[in-house]
Amino acid sequence: MEIENKIVSAVVLGIKTLYGQDIAPETVQLQKTKKEFAGHLTLVVFPFLKISRKKPEDTAQELGHFLKTEIPSVVADFNAVKGFLNLVIAPASWIGLLTDIHQDAQFGLTEATDLSPLVMIEYSSPNTNKPLHLGHVRNNLLGCALANIMAANGNRVVKTNIVNDRGIHICKSMLAWLKYGNGATPESTGIKGDHLIGDYYVAFDKHYKEQIKELMEEGMSEEEAKNEAPLIKEAREMLVKWENNDPEVRALWRKMNEWVYAGFDVTYKALGVSFDKIYYESETYLEGKEKVLEGLDKGLFFRKEDGSVWADLTPEGLDEKLLLRSDGTSVYMTQDIGTAKLRFRDYPIDKMIYVVGNEQNYHFQVLSILLDKLGFEWGKDLVHFSYGMVELPNGKMKSREGTVVDADDLVAEMIGSARKMSEDKINKLTDLGEDEANEIARIVGLGALKYFILKVDARKNMLFNPAESIDFNGNTGPFIQYTYARIRSILRKASEAGISIPETLSAQTDLSEKEISLIQMLADFPNVVKQAGSDYNPSCIANYCYDLVKEYNQFYHDFSILHEEDENKKTFRLVLSAEISKIIRTGMGLLGIEVPERM
């Protein structure tokens, strides 16, 4: 921020003037003053003691006097505590800083240019045999937030998805639909396409288990029964037909996949999630096989006696990794290599980020090595954004299958809870129509869900508690949204009273420590966005928003805004409130969370 830049320049000059030596600006360390000391910013003096050849306190005192004399418009006073110089910043500087923030509509955000790095982020990665569930929700929300944050740090971003649309699990749904579906469609049943297909995946499992039980009663071992059950044999036959491009099987596969994609699109839209490019495993696995065989020819991989192809990663401290089975079929690793090949062909990628659960840590360690061996420039530096599991407290929400929490059920439940929780508050808005009440419930319900998931460090396992997330108090989305709506209400009342907000604030306004603290927090926002990008950590922004809102609510409780008699103070507080609402909207927007204009 401008205040810090002026202090750094003055410290560099001070060291030269007082002690005759040049120092690099990077050696000047400034931090927020601890609450138990007077001041706003603290200069760490220890790095300069070899130059000053004086005691820490004496060096701090000399630098303090120099700064107060050199930049009196910035440094109003100081105190030295051992090797720490606590600086009291002049009110006019804080007001100037707020004016700068006020005049910058994109404060905290860096715009990308044509020369900016291209970052590709993969998230979602669903299977086409079942609907999205709670785990997918965390994945999608993290991926979307990370994409927004990388873009806010001046990167060009491509959001991508890989759909797992082939394999035995897909054939199971197809076969069950043929056997038990009686021609059912999403239109004829009124069931969303992904749920309809998921129901047949469950039906396959139910009938398959019955067949296993019958065969075991006839004397087979469990392992034999699993392999000899008619259903699994038929599913395998169907997979072979699919691999051989059988027209009937492929037509059925396309039809059922279209139902699933239509269902996914509804869920993605409800979550506010989107993609720039979608890849399909059915299109990438052959590319992967080709790339693996190319690596085999170059001596990067080796073939075993049974015909299977492997990578020897023992020199890297790992083991041998299967890339192609003995029958020539691919594994997940092969598909990821194929997808990487297509992506590298489609985009000049500088960085590739995979948003995938931590159970795949080893997979991505191996993938990075293999891509590097195969010549992908970004392979060695690929980022696996590894996140933990998310669970619900038992009994908090029923799921369609009893074990997995369905994403659509979760979203509907959250919006319903928001409507119920908000009714007392919403009812106070007498001019609120049914449509607007529903829209507020949607924004609050989804905000509660997204914020509760994103405020937790992604690397940690977490428990999602729907009731706790929808609370209007505490570290929750609705608490932050309600504060935003409160500020917007204040600004509307000011406008109705004919109070206009100026571009530039009067420097002659007395400020309280609480008001200075809020400006200082606003000024931190660009650093928070930067940290969230460099650490791949959306929770930085979530918790910053909460801390800012908590601080503002204390200010709102202790100070008058619209009824303040001093016109300069009233204007200042309105601008401060407006800027806090701007940063709340920007910060929550980076997390993919909307904020309502009224609640």
Side-chain angles (χ1 to χ4, degrees), residues 414 444-445 447-449 452 464-472 475-478:
M414 293 303 300
V444 173
L449 170 65
F452 202 89
F464 175 66
N465 187 324
E468 195 181 319
S469 74
I470 205 82
D471 198 337
F472 280 84
N475 189 1
T476 67

Side-chain angles (χ1 to χ4, degrees), residues 299-302 310-321 362 365 369-370 373:
L300 299 173
F301 310 132
F302 69 96
W310 296 71
D312 181 8
L313 302 180
T314 50
E316 285 82 8
L318 302 174
D319 53 9
E320 293 179 347
K321 182 68 187 173
Y362 173 74
Q365 189 183 357
I369 294 167
L370 294 178
K373 283 180 185 289

Side-chain angles (χ1 to χ4, degrees), residues 173-194:
S173 296
M174 291 162 61
L175 185 60
W177 182 83
L178 280 176
K179 285 183 172 295
Y180 319 118
N182 296 318
T185 67
E187 292 74 26
S188 71
T189 59
I191 299 173
K192 199 163 160 276
D194 50 337

Side-chain angles (χ1 to χ4, degrees), residues 175 179-180 203-222 224-235:
L175 185 60
K179 285 183 172 295
Y180 319 118
F204 177 93
D205 193 53
K206 179 188 160 194
H207 289 282
Y208 178 40
K209 281 176 179 169
E210 286 170 3
Q211 289 183 356
I212 292 169
K213 189 180 172 188
E214 285 169 15
L215 290 173
M216 286 174 70
E217 284 170 358
E218 291 171 13
M220 279 191 190
S221 69
E222 186 178 355
E224 284 175 320
K226 282 181 177 176
N227 283 318
E228 293 301 318
L231 266 178
I232 198 69
K233 283 185 168 183
E234 285 185 75

Side-chain angles (χ1 to χ4, degrees), residues 211-312:
Q211 289 183 356
I212 292 169
K213 189 180 172 188
E214 285 169 15
L215 290 173
M216 286 174 70
E217 284 170 358
E218 291 171 13
M220 279 191 190
S221 69
E222 186 178 355
E223 198 58 40
E224 284 175 320
K226 282 181 177 176
N227 283 318
E228 293 301 318
L231 266 178
I232 198 69
K233 283 185 168 183
E234 285 185 75
R236 288 182 189 134
E237 286 165 14
M238 183 178 269
L239 181 58
V240 171
K241 285 181 179 178
W242 185 93
E243 296 264 358
N244 292 326
N245 275 316
D246 179 279
E248 280 186 31
V249 170
R250 285 283 179 141
L252 175 63
W253 171 74
R254 279 190 292 272
K255 178 169 73 173
M256 291 177 71
N257 274 351
E258 280 167 13
W259 295 344
V260 173
Y261 299 145
F264 283 171
D265 286 347
V266 172
T267 309
Y268 286 140
K269 189 177 179 185
L271 287 170
V273 169
S274 63
F275 307 96
D276 301 309
K277 176 79 173 177
I278 297 180
Y279 292 88
Y280 299 90
E281 188 186 341
S282 56
E283 296 168 1
T284 67
Y285 83 107
L286 291 174
E287 299 280 356
K289 285 173 74 170
E290 189 182 298
K291 202 73 187 167
V292 167
L293 292 172
E294 190 183 301
L296 183 67
D297 290 341
K298 290 179 179 175
L300 299 173
F301 310 132
F302 69 96
R303 194 187 288 278
K304 288 193 176 179
E305 284 179 15
D306 65 355
S308 57
V309 177
W310 296 71
D312 181 8

